[in-house]
Amino acid sequence: MKWKESVKGLKAYQPGKSIDAVKREFGLDEIVKLASNENPLGCSPKVTAYLQESAHNFALYPDGYGTDMRNAVANHLNVNPNQLIFGNGSDELISIVTRALLQPGVNTVMATPTFSQYKLNAVIEGAEVREVPLKNRLHDLDAMYDAIDAHTAVVWICSPNNPTGGIVEDAPLQAFLAKVPSDVLVVLDEAYFEYVTSANLHDSISLLNQYKNILILRTFSKAYGLAAFRVGYGIAHPDLIAKFDPVRGPFNNTVLSQAIVPVAVADQAYLEQCREVNEAGKKQYITFCEANQLDYCPTETNFILFEVKMDSDEVFQKLMEKGYIIRSGNALGVPQYIRVTIGTKEQNEGLLAQLQTILQQQGVVV
């Protein structure tokens, strides 16, 4: 096989063991998965009701333009329908960006640690990856700007950032955008946008009229609780969308995905309920960390990255044996930390009780 040099040695994304696999391995009846930042409350009850009552002809292709879904999202965001592009999750949109803009001889700038798919897709396209360490756990926009040169095609800003949870505030973002050359695409990945409660988050959509080189990414996989349906979307100037759209695969969102998005968007009261539960859960983890003198990253998401003062993989394994699946910091470039999805009150209590015992047994906490 004549493989591209860039894919030789690459490892596939490791999603972790499934709930059923963990049940079988450890003989458990119940598993709490807090590893992939899914909404522990699930989707809106109105979506569930729609799925139970709806009927579709699955022999036909879906609407290639996603008209109803597109109009619902456009109306919710107060943008024009031609400012949107939809993907099979945000992951597909990231691959569309890299496929359209990255190649050997150009480079892309991103923070580290941040969402791994930016780098992976850039490497596949043979582009140079320029990683800029976080500063005080936030994007170092000054250093990222310094990394830009005449061969830079894409800059990635993950806000809130995965895995640390911090946001890029409005003032530094606008100062950064004012300096970035107009032929460099700035991707603002806002997958956790709906969970943010800080008043300092940039109103990125309002910047689209001023900057035509911005692509905002959002998703229905997180706060909306629709991860299984794989719907992500991008918002940008119509000219930018028109350039990316030919790179998008045809019929990339299913009939059911397109049907439930308008239902989910219409139920903003449910989204507010999810935010409230998340904020209460966040306080549970912060209280635990402070009581045990464990460092943690302030977060504007539905996950929290915090210190365990021991091997992250060992904590991951011990918690899994007790029926809790979390994310080891070793896999995220943050050893001796774990990333935990904020669950329901009961799920958080159960996990923290198990973690307290593990840390005490290892002499990490009293």
Side-chain angles (χ1 to χ4, degrees):
M1 295 294 181
K2 300 178 178 65
W3 298 107
K4 293 169 64 173
E5 285 296 322
S6 58
V7 304
K8 292 180 179 178
L10 284 183
K11 295 182 179 179
Y13 177 76
Q14 298 296 321
K17 295 180 180 179
S18 68
I19 289 176
D20 287 340
V22 175
K23 283 183 177 180
R24 288 193 298 269
E25 182 175 353
F26 299 107
L28 300 170
D29 295 325
E30 184 177 351
I31 300 295
V32 177
K33 186 181 176 219
L34 299 174
S36 300
N37 308 333
E38 297 137 329
N39 186 338
L41 302 182
C43 63
S44 162
K46 293 181 180 180
V47 171
T48 303
Y50 174 85
L51 291 171
Q52 291 172 341
E53 299 166 2
S54 64
H56 296 275
N57 185 348
F58 297 119
L60 302 180
Y61 284 108
D63 175 3
Y65 192 63
T67 305
D68 292 343
M69 172 175 69
R70 181 180 299 273
N71 289 336
V73 174
N75 290 335
H76 174 62
L77 299 176
N78 195 27
V79 300
N80 291 321
N82 64 355
Q83 288 183 266
L84 298 172
I85 183 171
F86 290 87
N88 189 250
S90 294
D91 297 295
E92 185 187 21
L93 295 171
I94 292 168
S95 67
I96 287 172
V97 169
T98 57
R99 187 179 177 192
L101 289 170
L102 298 184
Q103 58 186 316
V106 302
N107 67 70
T108 181
V109 177
M110 64 193 69
T112 185
T114 194
F115 187 46
S116 61
Q117 294 302 296
Y118 311 148
K119 182 176 181 178
L120 175 66
N121 282 276
V123 169
I124 290 171
E125 299 302 331
E128 176 193 352
V129 176
R130 297 183 175 179
E131 297 179 280
V132 178
L134 298 176
K135 183 178 182 181
N136 299 322
R137 293 177 171 159
L138 300 173
H139 282 62
D140 187 346
L141 295 183
D142 290 335
M144 291 178 72
Y145 174 74
D146 290 341
I148 297 171
D149 63 17
H151 302 291
T152 303
V154 184
V155 176
W156 305 87
I157 297 178
C158 189
S159 179
N161 188 46
N162 182 5
T164 51
I167 61 171
V168 176
E169 296 187 354
D170 181 55
L173 176 65
Q174 294 210 41
F176 176 76
L177 293 173
K179 298 187 295 182
V180 174
S182 60
D183 64 347
V184 175
L185 177 70
V186 179
V187 178
L188 302 176
D189 188 346
E190 299 181 345
Y192 299 91
F193 172 81
E194 289 83 6
Y195 281 114
V196 177
T197 58
S198 170
N200 296 320
L201 180 70
H202 51 270
D203 178 12
S204 53
I205 293 178
S206 69
L207 299 173
L208 294 177
N209 291 330
Q210 185 176 359
Y211 301 103
K212 296 183 179 181
N213 61 328
I214 301 175
L215 175 65
I216 303 163
L217 300 184
R218 293 184 184 173
T219 184
F220 285 92
S221 295
K222 304 304 180 185
Y224 282 95
L226 298 173
F229 289 92
R230 312 304 299 124
V231 182
Y233 62 98
I235 319 157
H237 189 276
D239 292 345
L240 200 56
I241 295 296
K243 291 290 187 182
F244 283 125
D245 212 30
V247 186
R248 176 181 62 87
F251 310 115
N252 61 331
N253 294 115
T254 67
V255 169
L256 286 178
S257 297
Q258 293 186 27
I260 63 170
V261 162
V263 180
V265 168
D267 195 357
Q268 291 298 307
Y270 179 73
L271 213 61
E272 180 58 33
Q273 177 188 344
C274 293
R275 264 191 297 269
E276 291 174 358
V277 170
N278 189 69
E279 285 300 298
K282 189 188 301 182
K283 291 176 182 177
Q284 289 179 269
Y285 285 95
I286 291 173
T287 299
F288 176 86
C289 290
E290 292 179 345
N292 289 289
Q293 297 183 312
L294 299 172
D295 180 48
Y296 65 91
C297 296
T299 180
E300 290 287 341
T301 67
N302 69 331
F303 63 81
I304 185 166
L305 181 75
F306 62 96
E307 182 183 35
V308 288
K309 294 184 179 178
M310 58 180 289
D311 181 53
S312 304
D313 287 347
E314 186 176 353
V315 174
F316 165 81
Q317 182 67 26
K318 289 181 179 297
L319 282 173
M320 188 162 56
E321 291 171 3
K322 298 297 183 180
Y324 292 90
I325 307 175
I326 54 95
R327 197 85 157 94
S328 167
N330 288 347
L332 304 169
V334 194
Q336 295 205 336
Y337 283 69
I338 59 173
R339 192 194 69 189
V340 180
T341 304
I342 297 168
T344 64
K345 181 177 184 291
E346 293 74 23
Q347 289 173 337
N348 301 330
E349 287 175 346
L351 181 142
L352 291 173
Q354 294 293 342
L355 182 58
Q356 182 82 34
T357 299
I358 292 167
L359 298 181
Q360 287 174 338
Q361 289 174 343
Q362 299 299 313
V364 172
V365 300
V366 179

